[in-house]
Amino acid sequence: SASLMDYTPFNIAALRQKDVPFFSQTVGVYDTWAISYGYKDVPGATTPESEKSALKKIASLSTVRGHAYVSDENADQFDPLVTRYDLSSDPIAYWKKTMEVSRYLLVNLDKRLPESGQSYWQFTQGFNRLLNTYSRAAGTASRYVGGLNISRNHKGDSNEKAPLRPVDVEKQKQSLALLNTYIFSPSALQFPTRYYTNLTNNPYEFSNGTSPIQDQVAGLQKSALTRLFSASVLSRVANNEYKMGGDPAKALTLVSLYNSVSGNVWAEVNSGKNVPTLRRQLQRAYVDTMVDMVTKPSPGVPEDARMLAWDQLRQIKTRLQTAQVKAAPGTTYDPYTRIHLQETLSKVTRALNANYTLGGGQSSGNSLLQMLLGGSDSRKQTNK
């Protein structure tokens, strides 16, 4: 049996039912297949060459359910089915359940910990472990966005699959919806405020930490945002979209990625409501991500992604201008929200009006658009 403090997401059924093992107790389908390739006797074969035909026949069964194999260098990368610590045939449902259970245990944690006579360090350990499990589940589920499935089969193998194919679009949308719900929505990561004054340091170690829980949770959200809008993910999304002919019914598009996340991040601004502190942190992180993509993009960021980042800033500017003029009926902006709207609008406006230098020359006050149209003397001089 396992205590609640020993909780791991590996096998939820094992926590809820009696005598259910955490891991398989027998040799698996893949094990039997791999052993047959390495050790099965081939009648009449006297040399390695004479075994080749029989070995190829066994290897051609790589697409049979349970035989999937990819080597270590691909683990935890762009194929969401090649992931350590994932013991499910439906990873998205698995990680969603992990987040649901982690959240349930988190919001009920002080009913169990600390035990009478124990330090609140026991509570703090439980909180941090569960939050880390929650964060890891979100990060692993995010691999579906812009993901690719690898197949090592050869042409002519039974049930042959494309060797490198975009993850099913519905799976990508499910993953994105999961992140929006559990990471980016206004209701995400809301824990009882009574918890925050009970977080403490290990009493048995020298430490003067202050348990900055706001920074910790904000960092979780920023990490998820950074991954989704990284050059590698954006590049795969753009290339997957191209591979599927640009059909939004077959591929997750860059447009849908930006609009989906933005709609959740800016929910309060869109509805004219006050913006709580954690949400202000997330909105700043989003603006910084878009501004960096427009003004100093990382190598490998697709041009369409930069273009959409510029459009996001333009849309945000309009939303902020509207929000400043009129709050929701019955709402009066608190000082934090009022100043946040003003500061963010100023930052977005500066980015949209920024001057650029191309080819090492001075832009002479021309906008990026003017320069791309050939209106900059500095660019003409550089190109001579």
Side-chain angles (χ1 to χ4, degrees), residues 304-320:
D304 277 350
R306 292 184 62 192
M307 175 187 72
L308 292 174
W310 172 85
D311 185 60
Q312 282 292 310
L313 292 176
R314 185 184 59 81
Q315 291 183 44
I316 292 169
K317 179 179 180 179
T318 300
R319 294 171 184 169
L320 292 169

Side-chain angles (χ1 to χ4, degrees), residues 356-372:
Y356 293 82
T357 301
L358 297 182
Q362 188 64 33
S363 65
S364 303
N366 290 313
S367 69
L368 175 63
L369 180 60
Q370 291 173 323
M371 296 173 75
L372 292 176

Side-chain angles (χ1 to χ4, degrees), residues 275-329:
V275 186
T277 178
L278 194 63
R279 301 289 296 170
R280 294 195 298 271
Q281 296 275 59
L282 177 60
Q283 290 171 8
R284 292 185 188 111
Y286 188 89
V287 167
D288 290 344
T289 299
M290 296 299 112
V291 169
D292 286 347
M293 205 180 306
V294 170
T295 61
K296 47 181 181 181
S298 301
V301 171
E303 289 300 317
D304 277 350
R306 292 184 62 192
M307 175 187 72
L308 292 174
W310 172 85
D311 185 60
Q312 282 292 310
L313 292 176
R314 185 184 59 81
Q315 291 183 44
I316 292 169
K317 179 179 180 179
T318 300
R319 294 171 184 169
L320 292 169
Q321 289 173 329
T322 302
Q324 279 192 314
V325 172
K326 185 179 181 181

Side-chain angles (χ1 to χ4, degrees), residues 154-219:
H154 292 180
K155 184 176 181 179
D157 286 352
S158 175
N159 193 29
E160 179 185 339
K161 299 178 181 179
L164 201 58
R165 61 195 185 281
V167 168
D168 178 75
V169 62
E170 293 304 319
K171 291 291 186 182
Q172 294 192 61
K173 289 179 179 178
Q174 289 174 23
S175 171
L176 189 55
L178 184 68
L179 294 173
N180 281 326
T181 299
Y182 289 93
I183 302 295
F184 301 131
S185 73
S187 61
L189 298 166
Q190 298 295 317
F191 307 118
T193 54
R194 65 181 182 273
Y195 280 16
Y196 303 147
T197 54
N198 289 333
L199 297 172
T200 187
N201 303 313
N202 187 344
Y204 307 110
E205 294 181 359
F206 177 77
S207 174
N208 59 357
T210 58
S211 297
I213 183 62
Q214 175 184 312
D215 299 343
Q216 185 179 358
V217 178

